[in-house]
Each structure stands twice: as structure tokens, then as C-alpha cells.
Amino acid sequence: EPPHQDVGVADAASTRKYAVSQAISVGKAAKRPRIRHDRPPMLAIGVMIWLGSELMFFSGLFAAFFTIRSQHAVWPPAGTHLDTIRALLFTLVLVSSSFTMQKAVFDEERYNRRSARIWVAWTIVLGLGFLGNQVSEWLFITTRASTNAYGSLFFIMTGLHGLHVFIGLVAMAFLLGRMKGPGGDPGELSVFQGVSYYWHFVDIVWIGLFSCLFLLK
């Protein structure tokens, strides 16, 4: 009988040692340092160069807007009905999506891929909400593209921006598909950062568009 007791004590001790070792390994994994690049990845550099060309493109639209606006004493033209409060609310929705996307990047840098996926999904939801509101505006706004110069500018500028929002949502959907596995590949963080740069750019451009189209009168 005593030998059997010794075996039981030994098994219990080995079990405790295994539990302690597992807890230590989990603690070390939780405290892994944040991923930092010694230099910007080539993908991120390429995205920033491309966004520079996009910035020049939208700058041309803003220049056309202010040139046409300077030739009108009343702006927007009489009869233009805009729901500025609603546009402001969905502007806040889009701006908040920048914060959710950046939170996803932070989690990805800290190996918390599950949380990163959740925040990317929330970013997609917010982006879809904003895009849905824009489609609603295009359908029900009383001013049409052929009504006057303001109508033409409104549909061109918001339409092109809406296209960029849609492209960003598609990119995030592919990003979620890439993150399905338990472990990420070496280039995943670079893709993550590139998509985030693009999304922040889209949000900043909209702030300028909203100010021009809805606030400048």
C-alpha cells in the first residue's frame, strides 16, 4: 500500500509542475514584445506613394470646386436641400472607423490576431453604414447631377469617394480572409498597415468633402 501512495504523490507533483510550466509559457506569450519594423516595409512605402497620387487627384477636384464656387454669389444654389445633421452623424461614423482600424493594427502588432479580426469586422460594419447612407443620399436628394454645377460636383465628388470607400471595404474583406489561420505569415502585418493607411486617407478626404459640400455656404 505505501508504494502506491508514493506513486500517487509523484503523479500529483508532476501534474503541478506541468501546470506551472504551462502558466509560465502562457505568460511569456502574453508578454511578447510589439512587432516593430527596423524600416518601413516596401508594401507600406508603395501604398504611401500611391496615396500621394490619390491626394493630387482629389486636390484637382477641390480646386475645381472652389473655382466654380467663386463664380456664384449664392452657394449652394437656391433650391438645394441638404440634410447636414444626418451627413454629420455619418461623418462621425466614418471617422470612428479609423479608430477601430487602428486598434486592429495595434492588436496585430501585439500578436492578438483574434481581437484584430474583430476590430476589422467592426470597421467594415461602420464603413458599410456610411456607404449605405451615401447611396440613400444619391437616391433621395432633390438636386440631381444635371440640375446645376453644385449637383454635378456633389455627385462626382461623393461618387468617387464612395468608390474609394468600397475599395477599402473589399481590401478589408480580403484581409479577414487572409487571417483565417491560427498563425499569421511574415507579410501579414505589412498588408495590415497598408490597408490602414488607405482607410485613414479615405476618412481624411471625406472630412474635406463634407466641409466643402455641406458646411461652406
Side-chain angles (χ1 to χ4, degrees):
E1 186 67 24
H4 293 291
Q5 291 179 352
D6 293 340
V7 171
V9 171
D11 290 342
S14 63
T15 301
R16 285 195 298 270
K17 289 180 180 179
Y18 175 76
V20 171
S21 64
Q22 288 294 100
I24 292 174
S25 63
V26 171
K28 289 182 178 179
K31 295 179 180 179
R32 284 188 293 182
R34 175 183 174 185
I35 302 174
R36 295 182 183 275
H37 294 296
D38 295 333
R39 54 187 176 182
M42 290 303 298
L43 177 62
I45 294 175
V47 170
M48 287 187 284
I49 294 173
W50 175 58
L51 290 180
S53 66
E54 290 291 292
L55 178 61
M56 290 187 287
F57 171 75
F58 278 102
S59 296
L61 290 179
F62 282 111
F65 175 87
F66 284 106
T67 299
I68 295 174
R69 178 179 179 270
S70 64
Q71 299 175 1
H72 292 75
V74 179
W75 191 265
T80 304
H81 301 288
L82 300 173
D83 193 342
T84 305
I85 300 301
R86 178 179 173 180
L88 175 61
L89 291 176
F90 281 92
T91 297
L92 295 177
V93 168
L94 187 64
V95 170
S96 65
S97 71
S98 263
F99 290 95
T100 57
M101 187 63 194
Q102 193 58 42
K103 178 63 168 66
V105 174
F106 288 156
D107 287 339
E108 176 72 9
E109 291 175 342
R110 291 168 173 80
Y111 303 93
N112 193 349
R113 299 176 74 247
R114 180 177 179 277
S115 178
R117 286 194 292 266
I118 292 174
W119 286 109
V120 171
W122 271 112
T123 305
I124 293 176
V125 170
L126 294 172
L128 286 174
F130 173 82
L131 197 59
N133 176 69
Q134 280 210 319
V135 172
S136 176
E137 284 183 332
W138 297 333
L139 292 176
F140 298 108
I141 189 172
T142 56
T143 301
R144 311 310 301 170
S146 58
T147 303
N148 48 44
Y150 178 87
S152 298
L153 288 169
F154 182 89
F155 278 90
I156 291 173
M157 297 174 81
T158 59
L160 289 171
H161 179 265
L163 177 62
H164 282 73
V165 172
F166 177 76
I167 293 173
L169 294 175
V170 171
M172 282 186 276
F174 278 109
L175 183 60
L176 283 180
R178 181 173 181 158
M179 296 177 67
K180 279 186 176 180
D185 58 83
E188 185 176 276
L189 178 59
S190 298
V191 176
F192 225 107
Q193 292 173 332
V195 174
S196 71
Y197 295 159
Y198 175 83
W199 193 249
H200 295 326
F201 171 80
V202 169
D203 289 2
I204 292 172
V205 168
W206 174 251
I207 293 174
L209 292 176
F210 169 75
S211 301
C212 290
L213 294 172
F214 290 90
L215 301 181
L216 296 181
K217 298 180 181 180

PDB file of all heavy atoms in Angstrom, residues 176-194:
ATOM      1  N   LEU A 176      -9.445  39.900 -43.872  1.00  0.00           N
ATOM      2  CA  LEU A 176     -10.044  38.942 -42.947  1.00  0.00           C
ATOM      3  C   LEU A 176      -9.879  37.513 -43.464  1.00  0.00           C
ATOM      4  O   LEU A 176      -9.640  36.588 -42.687  1.00  0.00           O
ATOM      5  CB  LEU A 176     -11.531  39.260 -42.754  1.00  0.00           C
ATOM      6  CG  LEU A 176     -11.878  40.425 -41.838  1.00  0.00           C
ATOM      7  CD1 LEU A 176     -13.397  40.599 -41.761  1.00  0.00           C
ATOM      8  CD2 LEU A 176     -11.310  40.216 -40.439  1.00  0.00           C
ATOM      9  N   GLY A 177     -10.039  37.332 -44.772  1.00  0.00           N
ATOM     10  CA  GLY A 177      -9.835  36.005 -45.337  1.00  0.00           C
ATOM     11  C   GLY A 177      -8.412  35.513 -45.155  1.00  0.00           C
ATOM     12  O   GLY A 177      -8.173  34.322 -44.919  1.00  0.00           O
ATOM     13  N   ARG A 178      -7.467  36.413 -45.241  1.00  0.00           N
ATOM     14  CA  ARG A 178      -6.060  36.049 -45.055  1.00  0.00           C
ATOM     15  C   ARG A 178      -5.778  35.674 -43.608  1.00  0.00           C
ATOM     16  O   ARG A 178      -4.855  34.895 -43.337  1.00  0.00           O
ATOM     17  CB  ARG A 178      -5.176  37.220 -45.475  1.00  0.00           C
ATOM     18  CG  ARG A 178      -3.686  36.958 -45.361  1.00  0.00           C
ATOM     19  CD  ARG A 178      -2.880  38.080 -45.956  1.00  0.00           C
ATOM     20  NE  ARG A 178      -1.456  37.811 -45.863  1.00  0.00           N
ATOM     21  CZ  ARG A 178      -0.540  38.358 -46.631  1.00  0.00           C
ATOM     22  NH1 ARG A 178      -0.885  39.213 -47.574  1.00  0.00           N
ATOM     23  NH2 ARG A 178       0.736  38.064 -46.486  1.00  0.00           N
ATOM     24  N   MET A 179      -6.550  36.199 -42.668  1.00  0.00           N
ATOM     25  CA  MET A 179      -6.283  35.981 -41.245  1.00  0.00           C
ATOM     26  C   MET A 179      -7.037  34.785 -40.671  1.00  0.00           C
ATOM     27  O   MET A 179      -7.126  34.626 -39.458  1.00  0.00           O
ATOM     28  CB  MET A 179      -6.669  37.240 -40.448  1.00  0.00           C
ATOM     29  CG  MET A 179      -5.843  38.459 -40.787  1.00  0.00           C
ATOM     30  SD  MET A 179      -6.416  39.900 -39.874  1.00  0.00           S
ATOM     31  CE  MET A 179      -5.998  39.427 -38.199  1.00  0.00           C
ATOM     32  N   LYS A 180      -7.577  33.916 -41.518  1.00  0.00           N
ATOM     33  CA  LYS A 180      -8.368  32.794 -41.010  1.00  0.00           C
ATOM     34  C   LYS A 180      -7.532  31.792 -40.233  1.00  0.00           C
ATOM     35  O   LYS A 180      -7.987  31.177 -39.286  1.00  0.00           O
ATOM     36  CB  LYS A 180      -9.062  32.089 -42.180  1.00  0.00           C
ATOM     37  CG  LYS A 180     -10.327  32.781 -42.651  1.00  0.00           C
ATOM     38  CD  LYS A 180     -11.033  31.953 -43.706  1.00  0.00           C
ATOM     39  CE  LYS A 180     -12.344  32.608 -44.112  1.00  0.00           C
ATOM     40  NZ  LYS A 180     -13.065  31.829 -45.152  1.00  0.00           N
ATOM     41  N   GLY A 181      -6.302  31.568 -40.627  1.00  0.00           N
ATOM     42  CA  GLY A 181      -5.459  30.567 -39.977  1.00  0.00           C
ATOM     43  C   GLY A 181      -5.078  30.953 -38.562  1.00  0.00           C
ATOM     44  O   GLY A 181      -5.200  32.103 -38.154  1.00  0.00           O
ATOM     45  N   PRO A 182      -4.588  29.993 -37.782  1.00  0.00           N
ATOM     46  CA  PRO A 182      -4.195  30.278 -36.387  1.00  0.00           C
ATOM     47  C   PRO A 182      -2.963  31.161 -36.273  1.00  0.00           C
ATOM     48  O   PRO A 182      -2.790  31.867 -35.288  1.00  0.00           O
ATOM     49  CB  PRO A 182      -3.942  28.880 -35.806  1.00  0.00           C
ATOM     50  CG  PRO A 182      -3.596  28.032 -36.990  1.00  0.00           C
ATOM     51  CD  PRO A 182      -4.403  28.568 -38.132  1.00  0.00           C
ATOM     52  N   GLY A 183      -2.074  31.096 -37.267  1.00  0.00           N
ATOM     53  CA  GLY A 183      -0.862  31.896 -37.207  1.00  0.00           C
ATOM     54  C   GLY A 183      -0.685  32.725 -38.460  1.00  0.00           C
ATOM     55  O   GLY A 183      -1.043  32.305 -39.565  1.00  0.00           O
ATOM     56  N   GLY A 184      -0.165  33.914 -38.299  1.00  0.00           N
ATOM     57  CA  GLY A 184      -0.008  34.804 -39.441  1.00  0.00           C
ATOM     58  C   GLY A 184       1.290  34.542 -40.197  1.00  0.00           C
ATOM     59  O   GLY A 184       2.245  33.995 -39.659  1.00  0.00           O
ATOM     60  N   ASP A 185       1.312  34.925 -41.458  1.00  0.00           N
ATOM     61  CA  ASP A 185       2.530  34.804 -42.244  1.00  0.00           C
ATOM     62  C   ASP A 185       3.366  36.065 -42.065  1.00  0.00           C
ATOM     63  O   ASP A 185       2.884  37.077 -41.559  1.00  0.00           O
ATOM     64  CB  ASP A 185       2.190  34.592 -43.726  1.00  0.00           C
ATOM     65  CG  ASP A 185       1.345  35.722 -44.277  1.00  0.00           C
ATOM     66  OD1 ASP A 185       1.924  36.754 -44.660  1.00  0.00           O
ATOM     67  OD2 ASP A 185       0.107  35.576 -44.313  1.00  0.00           O
ATOM     68  N   PRO A 186       4.641  36.043 -42.469  1.00  0.00           N
ATOM     69  CA  PRO A 186       5.527  37.191 -42.228  1.00  0.00           C
ATOM     70  C   PRO A 186       5.047  38.491 -42.858  1.00  0.00           C
ATOM     71  O   PRO A 186       5.366  39.571 -42.347  1.00  0.00           O
ATOM     72  CB  PRO A 186       6.858  36.738 -42.846  1.00  0.00           C
ATOM     73  CG  PRO A 186       6.807  35.252 -42.814  1.00  0.00           C
ATOM     74  CD  PRO A 186       5.371  34.893 -43.030  1.00  0.00           C
ATOM     75  N   GLY A 187       4.305  38.428 -43.962  1.00  0.00           N
ATOM     76  CA  GLY A 187       3.879  39.654 -44.626  1.00  0.00           C
ATOM     77  C   GLY A 187       2.527  40.174 -44.192  1.00  0.00           C
ATOM     78  O   GLY A 187       2.062  41.183 -44.729  1.00  0.00           O
ATOM     79  N   GLU A 188       1.900  39.513 -43.232  1.00  0.00           N
ATOM     80  CA  GLU A 188       0.539  39.893 -42.857  1.00  0.00           C
ATOM     81  C   GLU A 188       0.483  41.294 -42.252  1.00  0.00           C
ATOM     82  O   GLU A 188      -0.415  42.091 -42.572  1.00  0.00           O
ATOM     83  CB  GLU A 188      -0.029  38.880 -41.864  1.00  0.00           C
ATOM     84  CG  GLU A 188      -1.481  39.126 -41.503  1.00  0.00           C
ATOM     85  CD  GLU A 188      -2.016  38.038 -40.590  1.00  0.00           C
ATOM     86  OE1 GLU A 188      -2.434  36.996 -41.109  1.00  0.00           O
ATOM     87  OE2 GLU A 188      -2.013  38.247 -39.354  1.00  0.00           O
ATOM     88  N   LEU A 189       1.431  41.614 -41.380  1.00  0.00           N
ATOM     89  CA  LEU A 189       1.420  42.922 -40.737  1.00  0.00           C
ATOM     90  C   LEU A 189       1.600  44.037 -41.765  1.00  0.00           C
ATOM     91  O   LEU A 189       0.962  45.088 -41.666  1.00  0.00           O
ATOM     92  CB  LEU A 189       2.504  43.008 -39.668  1.00  0.00           C
ATOM     93  CG  LEU A 189       2.622  44.362 -38.949  1.00  0.00           C
ATOM     94  CD1 LEU A 189       1.312  44.724 -38.255  1.00  0.00           C
ATOM     95  CD2 LEU A 189       3.763  44.333 -37.941  1.00  0.00           C
ATOM     96  N   SER A 190       2.440  43.825 -42.767  1.00  0.00           N
ATOM     97  CA  SER A 190       2.648  44.846 -43.794  1.00  0.00           C
ATOM     98  C   SER A 190       1.355  45.115 -44.561  1.00  0.00           C
ATOM     99  O   SER A 190       1.020  46.267 -44.850  1.00  0.00           O
ATOM    100  CB  SER A 190       3.754  44.409 -44.756  1.00  0.00           C
ATOM    101  OG  SER A 190       4.979  44.261 -44.078  1.00  0.00           O
ATOM    102  N   VAL A 191       0.640  44.046 -44.896  1.00  0.00           N
ATOM    103  CA  VAL A 191      -0.651  44.213 -45.567  1.00  0.00           C
ATOM    104  C   VAL A 191      -1.621  44.957 -44.664  1.00  0.00           C
ATOM    105  O   VAL A 191      -2.356  45.861 -45.107  1.00  0.00           O
ATOM    106  CB  VAL A 191      -1.223  42.843 -45.973  1.00  0.00           C
ATOM    107  CG1 VAL A 191      -2.614  42.996 -46.572  1.00  0.00           C
ATOM    108  CG2 VAL A 191      -0.301  42.145 -46.961  1.00  0.00           C
ATOM    109  N   PHE A 192      -1.632  44.586 -43.401  1.00  0.00           N
ATOM    110  CA  PHE A 192      -2.495  45.238 -42.416  1.00  0.00           C
ATOM    111  C   PHE A 192      -2.230  46.739 -42.380  1.00  0.00           C
ATOM    112  O   PHE A 192      -3.159  47.557 -42.415  1.00  0.00           O
ATOM    113  CB  PHE A 192      -2.215  44.634 -41.035  1.00  0.00           C
ATOM    114  CG  PHE A 192      -3.437  44.317 -40.243  1.00  0.00           C
ATOM    115  CD1 PHE A 192      -3.834  43.015 -40.053  1.00  0.00           C
ATOM    116  CD2 PHE A 192      -4.203  45.326 -39.689  1.00  0.00           C
ATOM    117  CE1 PHE A 192      -4.964  42.715 -39.314  1.00  0.00           C
ATOM    118  CE2 PHE A 192      -5.327  45.041 -38.956  1.00  0.00           C
ATOM    119  CZ  PHE A 192      -5.716  43.724 -38.768  1.00  0.00           C
ATOM    120  N   GLN A 193      -0.974  47.108 -42.297  1.00  0.00           N
ATOM    121  CA  GLN A 193      -0.614  48.525 -42.226  1.00  0.00           C
ATOM    122  C   GLN A 193      -0.968  49.259 -43.513  1.00  0.00           C
ATOM    123  O   GLN A 193      -1.431  50.398 -43.484  1.00  0.00           O
ATOM    124  CB  GLN A 193       0.876  48.659 -41.909  1.00  0.00           C
ATOM    125  CG  GLN A 193       1.247  48.191 -40.513  1.00  0.00           C
ATOM    126  CD  GLN A 193       2.743  48.162 -40.281  1.00  0.00           C
ATOM    127  OE1 GLN A 193       3.520  47.981 -41.217  1.00  0.00           O
ATOM    128  NE2 GLN A 193       3.163  48.318 -39.032  1.00  0.00           N
ATOM    129  N   GLY A 194      -0.738  48.610 -44.660  1.00  0.00           N
ATOM    130  CA  GLY A 194      -1.077  49.236 -45.931  1.00  0.00           C
ATOM    131  C   GLY A 194      -2.557  49.528 -46.051  1.00  0.00           C
ATOM    132  O   GLY A 194      -2.965  50.621 -46.480  1.00  0.00           O
TER     133      GLY A 194
END
